[in-house]
Amino acid sequence: MESTGNIQQFTNSQIIEKIQYFIDTNKGDVGRLYHILEHFKQNKPLYQSDKNYLESKLNVSFEIIDEKKPTDNPVLSKIQLLINAETGDPGRLQHIYDMIYQNKPLYHSDQVYLENKLNVQNPPENNLVTKFEYSKNRHSAKKETVFETKPPAKPQVQKLRGSMPKDWSPPEKNSNELTGIYEKIKTEEELLAEKKKEHDQLQLQRSKLSQIILNRKDYEKQVLLEKTLLESQIKEEHLSIQNQTKLSEQILSQKAELEKVKSERNELMKKISVDKEKIAKDLEFQKKQLLQTKLEQEEIEKQIKDEQIQLAKMAEEQKSNLLKQSKIAREINEKQGYLEKTKKEYEEIVSQVNLEKSKLVECEKLKKLIATQEKDLIKAQKERLKINQIISKEKETIAKKTKEEQAKLKQQSVLAKQLASEKKKLEKIKQERKKVEEKIKKSKTRASSKKSKAKSANSEPKIAKAENMDSA
């Protein structure tokens, strides 16, 4: 047994022995091993899967090589001549040929059958002696095939029945008795020949019976093999059916999850649209309020400018005419009332600003809600993408639905962009509102400074009047 690299070389008989060892020791799938054994016995090519299985059992990759031809065996050539001449059972003769070729022991019935066919009982020159040592188990027998060359026997002169010397003359009285004896001998010889034929026929029938038994055993093995193969195929079919049922259940569950995701997405879309409408309405309302505040601020600024002009005129009149101070004081009182009105208006503006602040707080709450909804949306998108990847592999219909979902997701991204733009607009409005509040604060400081100046100017003419009264 030579090895080329990692590949072991086996002869057909060696690999058959190894497979038989695996079967006898019950190592592996016995049915499959019987199937492989039949392939080797019949010199059929193996399937690749069976070859891989056998290599795994042998723990080595192998190849089959031709067996070395034994030394010329006259028995094998004679059996081959019988097979070619179609004398006898060709299947049984081929079985005997293979057993002798592989140096394996023959069954006694096969030995008797072969001896009858080859007439080995009295060979002219060579004699084939086959010895069997039977143990307690009738199937285990050692075979010793010995080719013995006996010296040629001395030629013997065959004596004819009833032949006598040349000069001998039979007596006349005993001639009738001799003829009767000769006839009896002939009849006995004929009976012997018939008995021999019957014996040969019986041996032939016995050999056929043994061959039939062997064939029956082979067929039983093949039936067992086919049965095991069928059982393994049935098990595989059952497993495939179970896998298919599991796959169908998974598809149904995934469809149900898809429908749930769709319903949740539709609900989210409805909520987003409602929130969008609310935010748009709030934005429009805030814009209107901002415009109103701007108009009111412009009016306040105009009034402040008018008051500044009037105050300047009053200061000039006070400087020019002390006598008109009483009138100016009245006017200042009136202006004080007007200023109180402006204070009230300012307080109203402050209250409106506070309302706007509270609305802005609500807007921030809405922003937080939108952010949470966006996170939920992102999670739903991720889950939906995973589900789409699984479902796209199963059916094309689900792939179409995923495309529709992707289109809807694009619409949602557009809506998200719109929300982002609206958020930017809100931030701009907040900045404008802050600027307006700063302007209002500045105008308040200016008005308070002007009021303090006016009060100081009013206190000066009163002091002058008191001094004049004292001098009088």
Side-chain angles (χ1 to χ4, degrees), residues 276-292:
K276 189 180 175 183
E277 288 176 358
K278 285 180 181 178
I279 289 162
K281 287 178 182 179
D282 291 334
L283 285 169
E284 287 177 358
F285 182 70
Q286 287 173 2
K287 283 178 183 178
K288 286 178 182 179
Q289 284 184 346
L290 270 172
L291 290 169
Q292 286 177 359

Side-chain angles (χ1 to χ4, degrees), residues 64-92:
I64 304 300
I65 58 170
D66 294 330
E67 294 181 357
K68 291 181 180 179
K69 291 185 178 180
T71 55
D72 292 334
N73 193 337
V75 178
L76 291 174
S77 60
K78 287 178 182 180
I79 294 166
Q80 192 64 47
L81 286 170
L82 288 171
I83 292 165
N84 295 332
E86 295 182 355
T87 56
D89 188 353
R92 189 171 187 182

Side-chain angles (χ1 to χ4, degrees), residues 372-429:
T372 53
Q373 287 174 359
E374 283 177 350
K375 287 179 182 178
D376 292 330
L377 260 174
I378 289 160
K379 287 180 182 177
Q381 285 175 0
K382 288 179 181 177
E383 291 175 355
R384 187 174 57 74
L385 286 169
K386 288 179 183 177
I387 291 161
N388 286 328
Q389 286 175 359
I390 294 163
I391 292 163
S392 62
K393 291 177 183 177
E394 296 296 331
K395 287 188 178 180
E396 293 178 357
T397 55
I398 297 168
K400 291 179 182 178
K401 289 179 182 179
T402 52
K403 287 179 182 178
E404 292 176 358
E405 291 293 324
Q406 286 174 358
K408 289 176 181 178
L409 277 170
K410 286 179 181 178
Q411 291 178 1
Q412 287 178 0
S413 63
V414 171
L415 288 170
K417 287 178 181 178
Q418 289 178 359
L419 286 169
S421 63
E422 286 174 356
K423 284 178 184 178
K424 287 179 181 178
K425 288 178 182 179
L426 259 174
E427 288 175 356
K428 286 180 181 179
I429 290 161

Side-chain angles (χ1 to χ4, degrees), residues 163-176:
S163 62
M164 298 299 288
K166 291 179 179 179
D167 297 331
W168 184 79
S169 61
E172 292 178 358
K173 290 180 180 178
N174 296 324
S175 62
N176 292 322

